[in-house]
Amino acid sequence: MSAATPAAVELEQFVYDEARLIDEKRFDEWYDLFADDGRYWMPLTRGQPDGDNHTSLFHEDKLLLKVRIERLKSPRSFSQAQPSWCQHVLQRPTVEDNGATSGRCRVRTPFIYIETQRDAQLVLAGVVTHYLRREGDRLRIELKKVELVNCDAALPSIQLFP
Amino acid sequence: MKRYRDDAEAVRSLVREDCVHRDVYLSPEIFELEMRHLWRNTWIYVGHDSQVPDAGDYYTTELARQPVIMLRDAEGGIRVLMNRCAHKGATLVSAREGHCEGGLLRCPYHGWTYRLDGSIRTIPAKSGYDGTALATSSAAAGIAPVRNVAIHRGFVFARLSEEGPGFHEYFGDALSSIDNMADRSPVGRLEVAGGVLRYLHDSNWKMFVENLNDTMHPMVSHESAAGTSKKLWAGHPEDEPKPMAIEQFLPFVNGYEFFDKMGVRIYDNGHSYTGVRYSIHSAYAAIGDYERIMEASYGEERARRILGEVRHNTVYYPSLTIKGAIQSIRVARPVSHDRTVLESWTFRLVGAPDSLLQRTVLYTRLINAPTSIVGHDDQHNYHAIHEGLATDGNEWVSLHRNHSAAESGGISGDYNGLSEVSMRGQYRAWARFMTLDMPGARS
């Protein structure tokens, strides 16, 4: 293992910290975790090969993430006049590739996600896979892929970030 | 409480020329009557024939809450059958799509099998019916068909009622928007591609359908989504190519004049389209050598005419809305008076570059998905209307914008884009097809 190869504990902690930034609505800090070419992807079907030729729920590059984050700060975001809140509950992450040879780490984490607004509570579940790479002294997200177990169900508004 | 059933006069009293009573959205009884009358007397979108390319392929959906099967029969025709076994009534297929093995539909309960035309092929241990009246019962006819089915450029529609307007009589020239979408393929053919988004709304189906040609809302409702995009893009030189997402978001915050001048065309029976002159899709950058391929296929003049027709939203009242210019459609599947599933489908233009599919896939995700920041604000407002209309003090919803007494003579024609005339046209059709088969209906 080279000095640049992250230890499992660092990768696990990254996944926990990343979810916590969302749950605490520290979205600007969350945004900074993404590499410049990073993506946040939630496919619409199981085993979906890509997000370009098939519709996804999210397939956001950094520009679109920025639009979402800045919109949430706008007083004219009417659907958020009464703000939504969310909570990730994560299973212990599994390091599937520590990047020693590929330079790209892959970490798999089953999760439950709760999003609430007013009296409504939406519960989603699935598996999140983080594709991470070392940039200088920090890890950055190349791809956060969120696979919902009910990705093809009729879903109500999902306003934050599972 | 029954206030409206079998009472055409009471139903008609909910609709005035320039306003509607809140019960059209709030009343569970009115919703039941809509499913029994309006959604049976009109032509409802079922699916696209490219979803069932081969004999035996099927696709299941609901029409006015009734489960149906759209399938390709042995002769290559499209049939729509009620998804109900002729025996005990179980749905015959429950997968969203699939293939009938051996060219047969087989009930998973007692194993009755049917041919693709719905007729009974076999009944297990059939001798048990010897000497019974099964052969003369309704079960012997097999799966009940939806008899009135029409296909236009691959778009399959059905009318559930036996009596009612003919397909072309009902849609008339509004079909030109479907034609324009299909003509945008160099070979004139569309294929469903890119998946289906299903967005659960806690609001009446009409909130969505009316909103499609409501051009007074984008600059208000979508200020946070499109306005934020505009702000983030500000400072880039005018001639710098915009990312496709920015290109798609920006026109939502165009001013009132833009939307007014785009115009709206009204057809009889509730159909309409905005974007008579231009639309929010007009300024999209050209894609690769698509125009050249179109010219090679249609000739320069016809290709220019097809691509120059850039309509905004076309409403095929009551179930379907389409965007021909970007090959996406939305389908309303009503669940209850305050619950609707909205499906968003995208199409590939057969023979055109993949980047056109990628454009519509991006648009439908940005605008129509349960995760869409545009959708969030729309859905918020639809639900807010349900909450607001529950208040006492004003039971009527205003549709007065640009109303003119001249509309009472006939409503089809071209109007300024900001007019609420599309909604007035929809309620004119609503009152007619709600009461068409009620006692006391006008001829």
Side-chain angles (χ1 to χ4, degrees), chain B residues 38 89 96 120 133 141 145 160 184 322 367 380 399 437:
Chain B
L38 176 71
R96 290 199 180 128
I120 295 173
L160 291 169
R184 284 167 174 268
I322 78 161
I367 311 300
H380 170 82
L399 305 174
D437 51 351

Side-chain angles (χ1 to χ4, degrees), chain B residues 146-354:
Chain B
V146 176
R147 286 199 178 78
N148 297 292
V149 174
I151 306 175
H152 185 78
R153 306 296 292 264
F155 288 74
V156 181
F157 291 86
R159 196 192 67 217
L160 291 169
S161 64
E162 296 294 320
E163 306 289 323
F167 177 74
H168 285 280
E169 174 198 345
Y170 183 66
F171 286 123
D173 286 339
L175 293 172
S176 58
S177 292
I178 289 178
D179 289 334
N180 181 255
M181 189 194 300
D183 287 345
R184 284 167 174 268
S185 151
V187 295
R189 225 172 61 235
L190 297 163
E191 275 176 9
V192 165
V196 53
L197 282 164
R198 301 171 68 243
Y199 191 169
L200 181 61
H201 277 44
D202 52 355
S203 49
N204 189 277
W205 64 272
K206 297 189 292 298
M207 303 291 184
F208 162 75
V209 174
E210 290 168 34
N211 186 62
L212 265 276
N213 283 332
D214 178 323
T215 55
M216 284 297 293
H217 88 280
M219 64 296 280
V220 181
S221 293
H222 305 309
E223 183 188 333
S224 69
T228 300
S229 311
K230 195 173 182 173
K231 240 179 272 172
L232 286 175
W233 191 249
H236 288 262
E238 189 66 31
D239 57 349
E240 183 180 335
K242 295 181 189 72
M244 220 179 242
I246 295 292
E247 189 178 71
Q248 295 184 348
F249 270 141
L250 288 188
F252 280 81
V253 281
N254 283 351
Y256 293 106
E257 193 185 347
F258 174 89
F259 285 100
D260 202 36
K261 286 196 172 149
M262 77 161 56
V264 57
R265 180 163 295 173
I266 306 297
Y267 299 101
D268 289 333
N269 302 325
H271 320 305
S272 62
Y273 75 87
T274 34
V276 179
R277 292 187 192 86
Y278 57 82
S279 74
I280 64 167
H281 310 299
S282 297
Y284 291 175
I287 286 186
D289 49 2
Y290 170 55
E291 276 174 38
R292 193 189 52 73
I293 296 169
M294 286 290 285
E295 282 169 12
S297 185
Y298 289 104
E300 205 172 310
E301 195 202 320
R302 177 138 189 250
R304 203 179 312 121
R305 230 182 17 251
I306 291 166
L307 299 177
E309 190 79 44
V310 191
R311 300 178 184 184
H312 181 42
N313 290 309
T314 301
V315 173
Y316 292 96
Y317 196 71
S319 67
L320 172 71
T321 75
I322 78 161
K323 278 187 174 295
I326 58 157
Q327 304 89 52
S328 73
I329 67 169
R330 287 198 269 181
V331 185
R333 305 284 186 203
V335 179
S336 64
H337 73 286
D338 59 359
R339 226 166 143 84
T340 308
V341 172
L342 284 174
E343 299 173 352
S344 297
W345 297 83
T346 45
F347 291 82
R348 181 196 307 282
L349 295 170
V350 178
D354 280 348

Side-chain angles (χ1 to χ4, degrees), chain A residues 55 57 68 76 118 155 157, chain B residues 194 199-200 223 365 371 387:
Chain A
T55 306
L57 291 160
R68 285 180 182 274
R76 300 278 171 92
R118 303 219 289 193
L155 294 165
S157 292
Chain B
Y199 191 169
L200 181 61
E223 183 188 333
R365 184 179 96 240
T371 44
E387 294 191 354

Side-chain angles (χ1 to χ4, degrees), chain A residues 39 41 48-56 58-59, chain B residues 361-362 365:
Chain A
R39 280 220 182 235
W41 184 26
Q48 186 177 318
D50 72 273
D52 292 323
N53 296 288
H54 193 287
T55 306
S56 305
F58 288 93
H59 191 237
Chain B
V361 157
L362 172 66
R365 184 179 96 240

